[in-house]
Amino acid sequence: MTNKNVSNEKSIPLSHGIVRQDRKLSDGRTISYYDSKTIMREAIDTRPVEKRPGLGELRLDALTNEWVVMAAHRQARAFLPPKELCPLCPTKPGLQSEIPESSYEVAVFENLSPSLALAQSDWKLPEYDGLTTPIVDAAGFCEVLCYTDNHEAHFGTLSLEQIRIVMEAWRDRTREISKLPNIAHIFAFENRGVEVGVTLHHPHGQIYAYSYLPPRVEKMLQIATDHLAKHSRPLITDIIAREVQDEVRIVAQNVDWIAYVPFASRYPFEIHIAPKVFTSDLAELTDTQADSFGAVAKESLQRLDGVFGIEMAYMASWHQAPVHVGRSALGLHLQITSIRRAPGKLKYLAGSESAMQAFIMDLKPEQSAAQLRDVKI
Amino acid sequence: MTNKNVSNEKSIPLSHGIVRQDRKLSDGRTISYYDSKTIMREAIDTRPVEKRPGLGELRLDALTNEWVVMAAHRQARAFLPPKELCPLCPTKPGLQSEIPESSYEVAVFENLSPSLALAQSDWKLPEYDGLTTPIVDAAGFCEVLCYTDNHEAHFGTLSLEQIRIVMEAWRDRTREISKLPNIAHIFAFENRGVEVGVTLHHPHGQIYAYSYLPPRVEKMLQIATDHLAKHSRPLITDIIAREVQDEVRIVAQNVDWIAYVPFASRYPFEIHIAPKVFTSDLAELTDTQADSFGAVAKESLQRLDGVFGIEMAYMASWHQAPVHVGRSALGLHLQITSIRRAPGKLKYLAGSESAMQAFIMDLKPEQSAAQLRDVKI
């Protein structure tokens, strides 16, 4: 059975001359292409339709009042397939991948084995009520964002032009997913390297849209809200002011963006990249901010790879304001963390970090910032 | 330079016929031997005295109001030394280890490169005050607890008699460290397996005594306090009642202890072992509870190793009530977590777990409990 719908459902102009085109995959999921060139995306997904997995569960951990997603259907997901079978490469003779086109610039589609997915229209998040809190469907939305069709590339080695398309996709996805029902928070991130559990080598990020405020966001929101009430300035604005004043932890900057090792970093190498002017989320970035992000991001990642002269495993996590609350309190910033503390040594989040959430750092932030700045690029 | 102090400073009878003897290492640290047999611990540490590392720093992460320990002096600590150079084996010809005796049952000593150490007597934890919170010394205390002098053993394969000595050491350390200045919380734990960052293979645990409430404890304390006020019963008591009623997640039990996969488990394999009667901490366990712990612990760990027929990497973390607050709200339990989701696959705490603290589980707790129960032991 193949999908017979060949019409180009949508072609939407975005900023910087980038156009989005939406298509359907054979199982009904949407794939969106983001292109800087004029090209019609008409390839048809001819794969047989497979049954989509059901929804997982949200259960409340009564010890912490935190939601845990039970997504048992994900256990069989693709795990480090060989390059010839990469599901994120373009479709080519002998490979029917997730992307029907034979080439693409940036492509985004709903995750085949999503942790969170759209629920029934009457879905509602229960209040915390300890042990009597009901189990509900794991509502939300998960997407895969392919940074390029070049399997061997890395985000940090993309051209500035290509990063600009990725940025446009991030902005557009944040805008679009914000409109979906029951979305409380949108989290765009990338894991790079098998050391942090990457299961597909192709350069890509993910977007998790939660139907609840994740524990870390809930806590940051409360603190940022208190700070705004007390000081009439967003917390991130004051944090950036301290970094500018202290100077020693700055890694890179331009007119719009600043990259720094945070004052109380938790990982051997941790870089925060923030817009200098308070911005709630990716969707609210101005075109100017969107244009100038790539240079600071590229420099930061090149410095990270340069410290030990190896491709550093990292997690890159966009912290943004929740969709409906705290829009003027919680500011956008990208948190890049690496667990590599020396060429042959990783920092493991073991006893103290995992069970107590008490972080122990082996490197002072000023020391790792100096190492990052010393890299010749 | 060698330590000339050869007198046996202390010999303290504990329960179950176990005796503690305290000695000094050459650099002034105390080593405590816990013995079930009558044996004088008189071996002298003849290693040259090396300068002890200075104190690290506590810095407040203003985004989360969480303390981060900066312990840069730990970067050069021992990392997977070969067996012949194991610092936790007894001293023998050609090896001067941390333990001067030529054999031992259980030995505990202050960590050579501690993350947290005793501070000046006027040390005081600052209040949270955002960006103006001062940096202070990383006050606290860290110990290494050697489970046996047999380098090849594992906690789960120790005899019940040997586990009883370890338990007596845990109780005694909790009691003793609670008396030290500026200790807010005591955390006894074990990391097992290189997959979770073990740097020494010799079977041992650690004790971290924090001068602040770790973030996880702070949160659990608040929820447990609210629950106690609302229901007049400790939260853990109601949690155990649910496990007993639901039955499907129970892994092992005896008269005093119950082992279960928690209702909202976060790891592919997670087992909580709790005393059936509310107990604040290890020091408050009765002798009967102390005696009967080993059987349930051994069975739980054997089941864990049996699931895939391999030695499972795990973290075993004692959650106890803080030293000075919440003594009737927060109950003792041991949390064992394993990141192995399949023989060749680990669960990584990547984007969602690390940056958002939002856990996604691949296995339902009822499913992993059934797998654990099905193991033939």
Side-chain angles (χ1 to χ4, degrees):
Chain A
M1 194 185 345
T2 58
N3 189 305
K4 296 290 185 293
N5 187 352
V6 297
S7 73
N8 217 9
E9 291 90 0
K10 284 185 187 167
S11 179
I12 296 163
L14 304 168
S15 84
H16 211 76
I18 296 162
V19 167
R20 181 182 101 213
Q21 296 175 72
D22 293 344
R23 303 280 300 163
K24 289 285 179 198
L25 297 176
S26 60
D27 60 7
R29 288 177 290 147
T30 298
I31 182 166
S32 300
Y33 298 96
Y34 293 84
D35 287 298
S36 65
K37 305 178 192 71
T38 304
I39 180 163
M40 288 300 284
R41 297 301 183 181
E42 297 180 321
I44 298 167
D45 183 7
T46 58
R47 294 175 296 175
V49 176
E50 293 188 18
K51 196 170 175 300
R52 301 232 37 225
L55 277 171
E57 294 178 354
L58 276 185
R59 294 193 187 192
L60 192 75
D61 170 11
L63 286 169
T64 58
N65 272 0
E66 291 177 3
W67 296 105
V68 177
V69 178
M70 302 287 159
H73 56 273
R74 296 180 75 242
Q75 177 76 317
R77 66 188 182 274
F79 183 73
L80 296 175
K83 186 185 166 186
E84 312 82 69
L85 299 177
C86 175
L88 309 187
C89 275
T91 287
K92 58 193 168 193
L95 171 68
Q96 287 194 299
S97 75
E98 287 279 65
I99 297 144
E101 292 285 333
S102 60
S103 72
Y104 64 87
E105 293 191 78
V106 168
V108 182
F109 54 87
E110 190 185 353
N111 198 308
L112 181 62
S113 307
S115 302
L116 304 157
L118 292 178
Q120 301 288 332
S121 59
D122 60 349
W123 185 94
K124 199 170 172 302
L125 186 70
E127 299 282 321
Y128 296 145
D129 192 22
L131 279 74
T132 56
T133 312
I135 293 176
V136 293
D137 283 342
F141 200 62
C142 291
E143 290 188 324
V144 176
L145 197 163
C146 301
Y147 293 158
T148 166
D149 65 2
N150 175 5
H151 186 86
E152 311 294 346
H154 293 293
F155 187 89
T157 59
L158 297 178
S159 67
L160 289 176
E161 188 55 34
Q162 186 69 20
I163 292 178
R164 183 62 184 82
I165 308 173
V166 174
M167 171 53 86
E168 198 58 27
W170 277 330
R171 295 167 85 191
D172 185 59
R173 297 326 300 159
T174 301
R175 209 155 32 220
E176 291 299 314
I177 296 171
S178 294
K179 298 175 196 162
L180 294 177
N182 303 317
I183 301 298
H185 191 73
I186 299 170
F187 173 46
F189 66 101
E190 179 193 359
N191 300 325
R192 184 233 224 174
V194 289
E195 300 94 322
V196 293
V198 159
T199 52
L200 297 173
H201 285 303
H202 195 105
H204 72 288
Q206 298 182 66
I207 299 174
Y208 272 32
Y210 304 91
S211 48
Y212 55 97
L213 292 186
R216 165 96 2 198
V217 176
E218 200 168 59
K219 189 163 192 183
M220 288 171 72
L221 174 62
Q222 186 204 315
I223 290 160
T225 304
D226 291 350
H227 185 97
L228 183 63
K230 188 171 170 188
H231 300 285
S232 303
R233 287 184 309 274
L235 177 56
I236 188 88
T237 302
D238 283 353
I239 285 176
I240 291 170
R242 170 165 72 180
E243 295 305 335
V244 169
Q245 192 189 321
D246 289 0
E247 227 180 322
V248 286
R249 289 178 300 275
I250 297 175
V251 172
Q253 63 179 315
N254 61 18
V255 176
D256 298 308
W257 295 84
I258 183 167
Y260 53 90
V261 179
F263 173 78
S265 59
R266 290 156 190 264
Y267 293 81
F269 291 92
E270 176 167 359
I271 303 173
H272 290 194
I273 305 182
K276 289 181 175 174
V277 173
F278 177 88
T279 308
S280 302
D281 65 11
L282 289 157
E284 298 210 346
L285 285 172
T286 64
D287 287 351
T288 311
Q289 287 173 314
D291 292 345
S292 57
F293 166 75
V296 172
K298 258 181 90 89
E299 181 179 340
S300 298
L301 292 176
Q302 282 170 5
R303 293 192 178 281
L304 196 59
D305 278 0
V307 166
F308 300 125
I310 53 176
E311 285 176 7
M312 284 280 253
Y314 65 74
M315 293 180 270
S317 309
W318 279 109
H319 290 272
Q320 28 189 5
V323 176
H324 303 295
V325 293
R327 305 283 301 169
S328 52
L330 260 188
L332 177 71
H333 63 280
L334 178 65
Q335 176 190 28
I336 301 170
T337 57
S338 176
I339 53 168
R340 184 162 297 286
R341 62 183 175 95
K345 297 179 186 176
L346 299 181
K347 172 175 184 62
Y348 291 87
L349 302 184
S352 187
E353 288 85 3
S354 277
M356 294 287 123
Q357 287 175 4
F359 277 69
I360 316 286
M361 261 287 291
D362 292 318
L363 271 182
K364 278 205 191 184
E366 294 75 20
Q367 191 182 346
S368 64
Q371 282 186 259
L372 288 162
R373 276 198 309 270
D374 285 349
V375 171
K376 300 279 174 289
I377 57 170
Chain B
M1 195 186 341
T2 59
N3 188 307
K4 297 290 184 293
N5 187 352
V6 297
S7 73
N8 216 9
E9 290 90 2
K10 285 183 188 169
S11 180
I12 296 164
L14 304 168
S15 84
H16 210 76
I18 296 163
V19 168
R20 182 183 102 214
Q21 296 175 71
D22 293 344
R23 303 280 300 163
K24 288 285 178 198
L25 296 176
S26 60
D27 60 8
R29 288 178 292 148
T30 298
I31 183 167
S32 300
Y33 297 96
Y34 293 84
D35 287 298
S36 65
K37 304 177 194 72
T38 304
I39 181 164
M40 288 301 284
R41 297 302 182 182
E42 297 181 321
I44 298 168
D45 182 7
T46 58
R47 294 175 298 175
V49 176
E50 292 188 19
K51 196 169 173 301
R52 302 234 33 228
L55 277 171
E57 293 178 355
L58 277 185
R59 294 194 188 192
L60 192 76
D61 171 10
L63 286 169
T64 58
N65 272 1
E66 292 176 2
W67 296 105
V68 177
V69 178
M70 301 289 158
H73 56 274
R74 296 180 75 240
Q75 178 75 315
R77 66 188 182 275
F79 184 72
L80 295 175
K83 185 186 166 185
E84 312 81 67
L85 299 178
C86 174
L88 309 186
C89 275
T91 287
K92 58 193 168 193
L95 172 67
Q96 286 193 301
S97 75
E98 287 279 67
I99 296 144
E101 293 285 332
S102 60
S103 73
Y104 64 87
E105 294 190 80
V106 168
V108 182
F109 53 88
E110 190 185 352
N111 199 309
L112 181 62
S113 307
S115 301
L116 304 157
L118 293 179
Q120 301 288 330
S121 58
D122 60 349
W123 185 94
K124 199 169 171 303
L125 186 71
E127 299 282 323
Y128 296 145
D129 192 21
L131 279 76
T132 55
T133 312
I135 294 175
V136 293
D137 284 342
F141 201 63
C142 290
E143 291 188 323
V144 177
L145 197 164
C146 300
Y147 293 158
T148 166
D149 64 2
N150 176 4
H151 186 86
E152 310 295 344
H154 293 294
F155 187 90
T157 59
L158 297 179
S159 67
L160 289 177
E161 186 56 34
Q162 185 70 20
I163 291 179
R164 183 63 185 79
I165 308 173
V166 174
M167 171 54 86
E168 198 58 28
W170 276 330
R171 296 166 86 191
D172 186 59
R173 297 327 300 159
T174 301
R175 209 155 33 219
E176 292 299 314
I177 296 171
S178 293
K179 297 176 198 162
L180 294 177
N182 303 316
I183 301 299
H185 191 73
I186 299 171
F187 172 47
F189 66 102
E190 179 193 0
N191 300 325
R192 185 234 223 175
V194 289
E195 301 94 321
V196 293
V198 160
T199 53
L200 296 173
H201 285 302
H202 195 106
H204 72 288
Q206 298 182 65
I207 299 174
Y208 271 32
Y210 304 92
S211 48
Y212 55 98
L213 291 186
R216 167 94 3 200
V217 176
E218 201 169 56
K219 189 162 194 184
M220 288 171 72
L221 174 63
Q222 186 205 315
I223 290 159
T225 304
D226 291 350
H227 185 96
L228 183 65
K230 187 170 170 190
H231 300 284
S232 305
R233 286 184 310 275
L235 176 55
I236 189 87
T237 302
D238 283 354
I239 285 176
I240 291 171
R242 169 164 74 180
E243 295 306 335
V244 169
Q245 192 188 319
D246 289 0
E247 225 179 324
V248 285
R249 290 178 299 275
I250 296 176
V251 172
Q253 61 178 316
N254 60 19
V255 176
D256 299 307
W257 295 83
I258 182 166
Y260 53 90
V261 179
F263 174 77
S265 58
R266 291 157 190 263
Y267 293 81
F269 291 92
E270 175 168 359
I271 303 172
H272 290 195
I273 305 181
K276 289 182 176 175
V277 173
F278 178 88
T279 309
S280 302
D281 64 12
L282 290 157
E284 298 210 345
L285 285 172
T286 63
D287 288 350
T288 312
Q289 287 172 315
D291 292 346
S292 57
F293 167 74
V296 172
K298 257 181 91 89
E299 180 178 342
S300 299
L301 292 176
Q302 283 171 3
R303 292 191 179 283
L304 196 60
D305 278 359
V307 165
F308 300 126
I310 53 176
E311 284 176 9
M312 285 278 255
Y314 65 73
M315 292 180 270
S317 308
W318 279 108
H319 290 272
Q320 31 190 2
V323 176
H324 303 294
V325 294
R327 305 283 302 169
S328 52
L330 260 188
L332 178 72
H333 62 281
L334 177 66
Q335 177 191 27
I336 300 170
T337 57
S338 176
I339 54 168
R340 186 162 296 286
R341 62 183 176 96
K345 297 180 187 176
L346 299 181
K347 172 176 183 59
Y348 290 87
L349 302 185
S352 186
E353 287 86 2
S354 276
M356 294 287 123
Q357 289 175 3
F359 277 68
I360 317 287
M361 261 287 291
D362 292 318
L363 272 182
K364 278 206 192 184
E366 293 76 20
Q367 192 182 345
S368 64
Q371 282 187 259
L372 288 162
R373 276 197 309 271
D374 286 349
V375 171
K376 300 279 175 291
I377 56 170

